[in-house]
Amino acid sequence: MKMNISSSVLLFTLLCMFGANAMQSNTEPNEVETEKMYLSGTGKDDMVDWEFFCSDGMNSGKWTTIGVPSCWELQGFGYYNYGKDDFKVRKNEYGRYKYQFDLPKKWRNKEIKIVFEGVMTDAEVKINGKLAGEVHQGAFYEFKYSISHLLKYGEKNMLEVKVNKASSNSSINHAEREADFWIFGGIFRPVYLQAFPKENIERVAINAKADGSLEADIFTTSKKAQSLRLSLSDLDHNKLQELPLTDISKEQGKWHVSTKAHDIKSWNPESPQLYFLNIELLNKKGEILHKTLERIGFRTVEVLEGDGIYVNGQRIKFKGVNRHSFYPSSGRTTSKELSIEHVKMMKDMNMNAVRMSHYPPDTHFLDVADSLGLFVIDEVCTWHSPHLDTKVGRKIVKETVVRDVNHPSILLWANGNETGWNTALDDDYAKWDIQQREVIHPWNIFRKTNTMHYPSYHVFAYDTYAKDKIYFPTEFLHGLYDGGHGAGLDDYWKQMWNMPLAAGGFLWDFADEAVVRTDKKGILDTDGNHAADGIVGPYGEKEASYFSIKEIWSPIYIEDRYIKPDFNGVFRIENRYHFTHLNEIKMIAKWVRFDGPKGTDKVKTISETTVALPNLAPVTKGEFKVDLPNNWQTADALYLTATAPNGSEIFTWSYPIKIPKKINETYIDLSEEGEISTHTEAGRIKVVANGIQYSFSEKTTLLEEVKKAGKIIPFNNGPIIFDHKDKIESVKINKLKGKVEILTVFEASDKSPSWASHKEYSSDVIKWTVHSNGLLDLHVEIKGKKIVKGFKGITFSFPESEVSGMKWLGDGPYRVWRNRMKGTKFQVWENDYNNTVTGESGFVYPEFKGFFSSLYWVKVKGKNNNGFTVYCNSENTFLRMLTPQHPKEDPNHRVSVDFPEGDISFVKNIPAIGTKFQTGDKMGPQGNSENYFGNDDEPITIHLSFEF
């Protein structure tokens, strides 16, 4: 009996399989699939020439050709405009396009649509001289027309498009054309034809949850459609499982179905698992009328009021950035390759989120966010008030949601920017979004969230009437020039990570919007201080904040650690991943040594081991231990490199092992070879040692001149002690065996706090020692101070015009500010001179000029063989290398840091940098202009050794 049942089931199964295969074999695959034919290129790198006429500006008043897609200004037409330009005096030119195309005869029985992914701004479309539909308004939104009835099959067809750079709708102009970004004109995203079977699925909207449950709205007006068939496949199109429909309902033009997938992996940005959902529309015979597929990810998003934002049951923190769709030589026309490059850089910075500012991006960017793993806030384009009018706004919301609804990366919708929202549209998103994502108002308290922009540090008191709202600034730490971003982030993130209702935030912004000016001989233009806001430069050049962010937002947090002789190898760690266990991370420990100034910049590994990380669940703490090799104290530094499951480097932490004096003694020559003599002449103390002549002021003992083999080395006028007013008490010249000492002692002054009843006095000291082999030693003692404003340290002069570069052992390769110390690595670095003004000019990084931390030694390269090497034998000393040029447009002086006198300095404290909207003092403890050194009985010492 069992055998008969099994046989019957088997026979039925075979018949079903045979029948299904037979039905499918009667139809060519492309007859039931959607076909696509591009009329333009797909992006900035493969444009297709169309006929073009521009009404005004560059190359106007004549028919010629232009590459499509493109912004016409970048192709040498029309006028450049920034959104802040006076709208009333702009020319607001228009462009006319023509393109002739052939249409296959076999498409005669198809439904044909023409799709425009983006046109700036109003678009009138004609096919063979007839309007395809109403004029489309709004630059950043995909629109399409059904044009089957307008086409000639097997013949030439003429497409004509008139594009007005300014809209006839004033609210569109305010939202898009008067916003704080570059304004372009043109068909700037691809144009293509879609050919559907006559009986077809118009579109689908899918809600796939982390538990495998799935519901879909399938839009069709087919009268022959009787049923649907769904299946799931991997990204190689291998079918994984059929999806039986557990619930199905129909209404006018839409089928709603439910099903459940089994044994799936959920989507999250740490492991962005994707699948294809295959959908087949069937007639009453079970034959396929139309089949389509959508790439999906299974994930569940919840915004729990008074609690947080949850993905797949895990409360998340946004480590995000704002991004414009932009490239210098093509404007808003981009490419999939550029999207991949940008997302990879975001991921490399350990970001997990991006806000589409201030408009929906290219579809390929969202595809990449899905596949590489980023949370996305998708936004319609508005700019302050007045907001979009309701009629056109409803169309724009629909176009945005309908296009983007199925992307698992999108967590939230943003209904405009900074008061630009039309509140009548807030509930429209839900009409088109089967996932019912939450809507936010960026910079506003709205519903469950507070997204206030550019908060000062004390916002983290979070004790206002809105303290029960989930807080995440959709813009913070504005990155104008070299300010913001990594500067201040360490302080902010400590609060954001630990505050229960904080959900992270989004830095402003990803890249400098410096556009190539075809009307100004190809210069890069950021419109002054309006668009110089990036973490990276216009072509993706990495600024210092890139690496600061990478360390601060590392999903592995290692407490600060200093390696001293009693180091036991133990590090305390926190797993700041949301979905990944720590034992999935690989960590390598390397004990390394470095060469000196005359050697190479190669890092030599003396021991390498794998570190066993504990199996910490997400958002938990623990510790790990690095095995200590027998010779570990002979190493110069320890490197810990963490690698993610996908093989990408999370970060490399570096820890010096030896103090500067210990490393430098290997390279400093203290031999007594050579002759030495000294005499005083014309107010100068002159010392000649091994062919080098040093001249010091007899009155101040400042170094006035260095001459070697008759050539002047222009290092002089120091050491000047910053903020020093004490008078010299005595100057002594001591002639000793193999050396000469020049000792300067200043008058004793009070070093005790103002409130102390018992006064203590001490003297500052400068001591020069010239060795017979030509080595010059400097020892400076400066009385300590509990609270310091200004600088503690010393400075010298060296003309910038004579500097060609430097090589040093210390933190690098980027300069630091007090509130941007993270992101460096301790090793030997070498930078050539440049005069980059961050975000404004040059765009060569790292910037040469500035403060550099943890100096051990530096070799200053002169243009005329007039450089020198200085060994810094004192711990915790910063090198000041020259003075960075201030940007031209910083009217509030928040991102232009005032440097002390001199050119090359050695200091114990450095200043912070602000943002476009805040001074450093408003950005947290590390940004404060006061330094708390604390009370110390010992003086601050700086010990340097010079080789000329």
Side-chain angles (χ1 to χ4, degrees):
M1 188 69 182
K2 288 181 181 178
M3 192 169 185
N4 289 339
I5 292 174
S6 299
S7 300
S8 299
V9 170
L10 177 61
L11 178 61
F12 178 76
T13 302
L14 290 170
L15 286 171
C16 289
M17 289 173 62
F18 178 81
N21 289 335
M23 287 185 285
Q24 291 183 37
S25 66
N26 289 332
T27 309
E28 290 292 326
N30 60 0
E31 292 183 9
V32 296
E33 294 176 350
T34 304
E35 296 181 74
K36 179 187 285 190
M37 184 172 79
Y38 277 94
L39 303 181
S40 71
T42 60
K44 68 181 181 66
D45 301 320
D46 66 341
M47 298 178 289
V48 171
D49 282 346
W50 290 18
E51 294 180 75
F52 183 66
F53 174 94
C54 186
S55 67
D56 209 339
M58 297 180 290
N59 292 314
S60 61
K62 59 185 179 183
W63 280 97
T64 180
T65 59
I66 191 172
V68 180
S70 68
C71 300
W72 62 53
E73 298 84 353
L74 278 301
Q75 302 302 310
F77 297 93
Y79 294 97
Y80 280 79
N81 295 115
Y82 196 85
K84 290 182 178 291
D85 296 347
D86 187 346
F87 189 80
K88 295 177 182 177
V89 301
R90 295 185 207 170
K91 296 298 183 180
N92 288 322
E93 67 274 16
Y94 64 83
R96 292 186 179 275
Y97 295 80
K98 292 181 182 179
Y99 184 69
Q100 199 171 55
F101 61 94
D102 293 310
L103 202 66
K105 285 184 179 180
K106 66 177 184 177
W107 279 18
R108 187 182 301 276
N109 295 319
K110 301 274 189 177
E111 180 182 353
I112 313 300
K113 293 181 180 180
I114 188 168
V115 181
F116 292 82
E117 291 193 358
V119 179
M120 296 180 181
T121 296
D122 285 2
E124 178 189 81
V125 180
K126 292 182 178 180
I127 303 292
N128 295 323
K130 296 182 179 179
L131 282 173
E134 66 177 5
V135 171
H136 183 267
Q137 296 176 321
F140 303 100
Y141 311 97
E142 182 178 287
F143 62 97
K144 59 186 70 176
Y145 302 106
S146 291
I147 57 170
S148 305
H149 60 294
L150 301 176
L151 294 169
K152 301 173 183 178
Y153 298 91
E155 299 182 40
K156 300 280 186 186
N157 290 267
M158 177 61 73
L159 167 64
E160 298 171 275
V161 186
K162 182 186 178 187
V163 178
N164 289 312
K165 189 172 179 177
S167 178
S168 62
N169 183 301
S170 61
S171 75
I172 289 282
N173 286 330
H174 191 83
E176 298 181 5
R177 307 285 92 185
E178 298 181 75
D180 188 4
F181 45 73
W182 285 105
I183 304 304
F184 301 109
I187 301 174
F188 73 104
R189 288 178 179 167
V191 182
Y192 55 87
L193 299 177
Q194 287 179 317
F196 299 87
K198 283 293 186 183
E199 306 290 329
N200 63 69
I201 298 168
E202 179 185 342
R203 62 183 176 89
V204 298
I206 299 161
N207 183 17
K209 295 195 172 182
D211 64 356
S213 61
L214 183 149
E215 58 178 337
D217 287 334
I218 298 167
F219 295 83
T220 180
T221 56
S222 171
K223 295 181 180 178
K224 295 183 178 180
Q226 294 295 311
S227 62
L228 294 161
R229 183 162 55 220
L230 274 62
S231 64
L232 199 67
S233 62
D234 64 21
L235 296 188
D236 292 323
H237 299 281
N238 300 308
K239 185 181 287 188
L240 300 175
Q241 56 186 289
E242 297 285 348
L243 297 175
L245 304 181
T246 57
D247 184 47
I248 185 167
S249 61
K250 302 178 188 178
E251 56 183 70
Q252 188 68 30
K254 181 178 77 173
W255 296 39
H256 181 83
V257 299
S258 299
T259 184
K260 186 161 187 175
H262 298 282
D263 300 320
I264 54 92
K265 294 180 179 178
S266 60
W267 183 96
N268 66 69
E270 296 164 22
S271 179
Q273 183 69 44
L274 295 170
Y275 299 89
F276 281 122
L277 178 66
N278 307 292
I279 305 169
E280 296 173 339
L281 187 69
L282 308 176
N283 62 18
K284 62 182 180 181
K285 296 180 180 180
E287 297 170 330
I288 300 172
L289 298 172
H290 185 205
K291 64 179 180 180
T292 187
L293 55 78
E294 288 284 333
R295 198 176 67 167
I296 64 169
F298 290 86
R299 59 102 182 92
T300 302
V301 181
E302 300 168 286
V303 181
L304 303 184
E305 189 169 6
D307 186 351
I309 299 173
Y310 286 76
V311 174
N312 304 340
Q314 178 68 42
R315 187 164 67 175
I316 58 106
K317 304 269 188 182
F318 290 124
K319 299 183 294 184
V321 68
N322 288 266
R323 176 194 182 260
H324 275 293
S325 299
F326 181 81
Y327 194 71
S329 60
S330 58
R332 303 266 174 252
T333 302
T334 67
S335 65
K336 185 173 183 179
E337 291 74 20
L338 185 67
S339 291
I340 292 170
E341 178 185 334
H342 283 186
V343 172
K344 282 185 173 180
M345 283 195 284
M346 293 174 193
K347 297 284 287 185
D348 186 50
M349 285 187 278
N350 290 313
M351 294 177 173
N352 66 4
V354 60
R355 175 187 173 211
M356 307 328 311
S357 53
H358 294 289
Y359 40 80
D362 301 88
T363 53
H364 50 69
F365 185 87
L366 295 175
D367 290 338
V368 175
D370 292 341
S371 62
L372 295 184
L374 281 177
F375 295 133
V376 172
I377 297 178
D378 203 359
E379 182 165 308
V380 300
C381 187
T382 68
W383 186 257
H384 296 186
S385 54
H387 52 66
L388 282 171
D389 72 53
T390 302
K391 182 179 179 181
V392 74
R394 289 216 152 104
K395 294 178 182 177
I396 282 172
V397 170
K398 178 182 178 182
E399 288 169 346
T400 299
V401 179
V402 165
R403 189 197 75 164
D404 296 345
V405 65
N406 295 328
H407 288 281
S409 56
I410 297 174
L411 266 57
L412 302 165
W413 306 113
N415 186 23
N417 177 59
E418 293 183 346
T419 74
W421 40 81
N422 179 342
T423 55
L425 305 177
D426 287 329
D427 294 330
D428 274 38
Y429 293 83
K431 295 178 182 177
W432 311 107
D433 183 13
I434 190 174
Q435 297 182 25
Q436 300 294 290
R437 297 171 176 91
E438 296 277 347
V439 175
I440 64 169
H441 289 174
W443 101 334
N444 200 28
I445 298 168
F446 178 66
R447 293 179 178 169
K448 302 174 185 178
T449 65
N450 179 0
T451 54
M452 176 175 50
H453 287 179
Y454 304 113
S456 294
Y457 181 77
H458 58 269
V459 71
F460 297 112
Y462 213 62
D463 55 359
T464 71
Y465 65 88
K467 63 185 178 182
D468 60 341
K469 303 295 183 185
I470 302 165
Y471 179 57
F472 57 101
T474 36
E475 295 175 27
F476 79 114
L477 292 177
H478 191 289
L480 177 62
Y481 301 133
D482 200 28
H485 292 151
L489 182 60
D490 192 34
D491 281 334
Y492 275 62
W493 192 244
K494 287 172 183 175
Q495 297 294 336
M496 289 174 162
W497 183 258
N498 291 298
M499 195 170 81
L501 276 180
F506 294 79
L507 298 166
W508 184 268
D509 73 338
F510 176 69
D512 293 327
E513 269 201 299
V515 68
V516 173
R517 292 296 298 258
T518 57
D519 59 341
K520 294 183 178 181
K521 298 182 179 181
I523 67 166
L524 284 171
D525 186 2
T526 59
D527 198 56
N529 66 5
H530 291 144
D533 310 335
I535 300 167
V536 301
Y539 289 104
E541 304 92 337
K542 295 174 183 177
E543 299 177 12
S545 278
Y546 184 101
F547 298 96
S548 299
I549 295 163
K550 183 177 176 69
E551 179 175 2
I552 295 165
W553 274 351
S554 165
I556 295 175
Y557 172 73
I558 301 175
E559 285 188 9
D560 289 346
R561 191 76 160 90
Y562 300 93
I563 297 181
K564 302 297 182 181
D566 57 357
F567 175 61
N568 62 3
V570 174
F571 290 82
R572 283 167 285 278
I573 191 169
E574 182 177 1
N575 181 4
R576 290 187 171 179
Y577 278 106
H578 291 311
F579 306 97
T580 304
H581 282 247
L582 198 62
N583 64 338
E584 299 176 51
I585 306 305
K586 181 181 179 181
M587 180 176 281
I588 298 295
K590 288 184 179 181
W591 305 84
V592 300
R593 289 183 188 147
F594 311 112
D595 278 349
K598 297 176 183 177
T600 71
D601 59 1
K602 303 298 183 185
V603 177
K604 300 174 183 177
T605 301
I606 64 171
S607 179
E608 179 176 325
T609 57
T610 298
V611 178
L613 293 176
N615 184 14
L616 293 179
V619 201
T620 59
K621 297 180 179 181
E623 62 181 37
F624 66 91
K625 187 171 184 178
V626 175
D627 292 333
L628 303 181
N630 293 332
N631 61 344
W632 73 269
Q633 290 187 339
T634 67
D636 295 333
L638 168 65
Y639 289 165
L640 296 177
T641 300
T643 305
N646 65 2
S648 62
E649 180 184 308
I650 298 168
F651 193 71
T652 293
W653 294 264
S654 56
Y655 304 90
I657 295 171
K658 296 175 183 173
I659 61 174
K661 184 178 180 180
K662 191 69 174 175
I663 285 183
N664 291 341
E665 67 185 16
T666 307
Y667 307 111
I668 296 174
D669 182 6
L670 292 174
S671 65
E672 296 183 0
E673 65 181 29
E675 300 293 328
I676 185 166
S677 64
T678 182
H679 69 280
T680 302
E681 176 187 320
R684 283 187 169 186
I685 304 168
K686 294 190 176 182
V687 183
V688 179
N690 202 22
I692 303 174
Q693 179 178 298
Y694 298 103
S695 296
F696 305 90
S697 166
E698 184 180 14
K699 181 179 180 180
T700 64
T701 68
L702 297 184
L703 179 65
E704 291 189 342
E705 185 179 86
V706 180
K707 188 180 289 185
K708 182 177 182 181
K711 178 187 283 287
I712 291 177
I713 297 173
F715 180 73
N716 54 48
N717 195 31
I720 294 174
I721 301 174
F722 290 122
D723 300 326
H724 197 254
K725 298 178 181 178
D726 296 348
K727 295 179 180 179
I728 293 175
E729 182 178 86
S730 65
V731 173
K732 294 181 180 179
I733 303 172
N734 299 317
K735 300 176 184 179
L736 305 171
K737 182 183 177 183
K739 61 185 177 182
V740 172
E741 290 181 351
I742 304 171
L743 178 64
T744 307
V745 179
F746 293 86
E747 288 182 340
S749 58
D750 184 15
K751 70 173 186 177
S752 53
S754 59
W755 47 263
S757 58
H758 174 72
K759 299 299 181 182
E760 294 188 20
Y761 295 83
S762 67
S763 296
D764 293 343
V765 173
I766 297 174
K767 185 173 81 169
W768 288 108
T769 302
V770 184
H771 296 268
S772 61
N773 66 355
L775 182 74
L776 178 65
D777 262 341
L778 173 64
H779 181 85
V780 178
E781 294 183 2
I782 309 169
K783 65 179 65 67
K785 198 174 182 181
K786 178 182 177 181
I787 303 173
V788 175
K789 284 193 173 183
F791 294 90
K792 280 291 183 183
I794 58 175
T795 191
F796 295 85
S797 296
F798 193 96
E800 182 174 331
S801 60
E802 292 296 319
V803 179
S804 66
M806 69 172 177
K807 177 181 178 182
W808 77 103
L809 173 59
D811 293 336
Y814 288 84
R815 69 189 183 196
V816 295
W817 304 110
R818 186 187 180 196
N819 56 351
R820 194 184 70 201
M821 295 292 291
K822 300 287 188 181
T824 59
K825 187 178 181 182
F826 181 76
Q827 68 177 64
V828 176
W829 298 101
E830 193 161 4
N831 287 351
D832 291 332
Y833 172 87
N834 64 64
N835 191 33
T836 292
V837 179
T838 312
E840 180 181 274
S841 63
F843 301 104
V844 176
Y845 300 101
E847 302 94 335
F848 182 77
K849 298 184 283 187
F851 295 104
F852 297 83
S853 55
S854 299
L855 177 68
Y856 278 54
W857 54 258
V858 58
K859 182 177 182 179
V860 180
K861 299 179 180 181
K863 288 183 178 177
N864 298 293
N865 196 28
N866 53 2
F868 63 94
T869 298
V870 57
Y871 298 91
C872 178
N873 302 304
S874 302
E875 297 178 68
N876 303 315
T877 303
F878 295 90
L879 168 68
R880 176 273 193 95
M881 176 53 67
L882 304 177
T883 300
Q885 180 180 317
H886 284 176
K888 295 176 183 176
E889 296 191 29
D890 179 23
N892 297 305
H893 205 69
R894 292 171 179 149
V895 292
S896 301
V897 178
D898 291 326
F899 272 55
E901 61 186 303
D903 301 302
I904 296 177
S905 311
F906 306 89
V907 295
K908 294 297 185 179
N909 64 304
I910 61 172
I913 193 169
T915 74
K916 186 175 185 177
F917 301 113
Q918 292 123 343
T919 61
D921 284 284
K922 295 286 188 180
M923 295 165 60
Q926 296 174 53
N928 202 283
S929 53
E930 287 186 344
N931 288 85
Y932 270 74
F933 280 17
N935 298 314
D936 192 346
D937 292 335
E938 299 299 320
I940 295 169
T941 61
I942 298 176
H943 179 200
L944 307 174
S945 299
F946 296 89
E947 288 180 351
F948 293 97

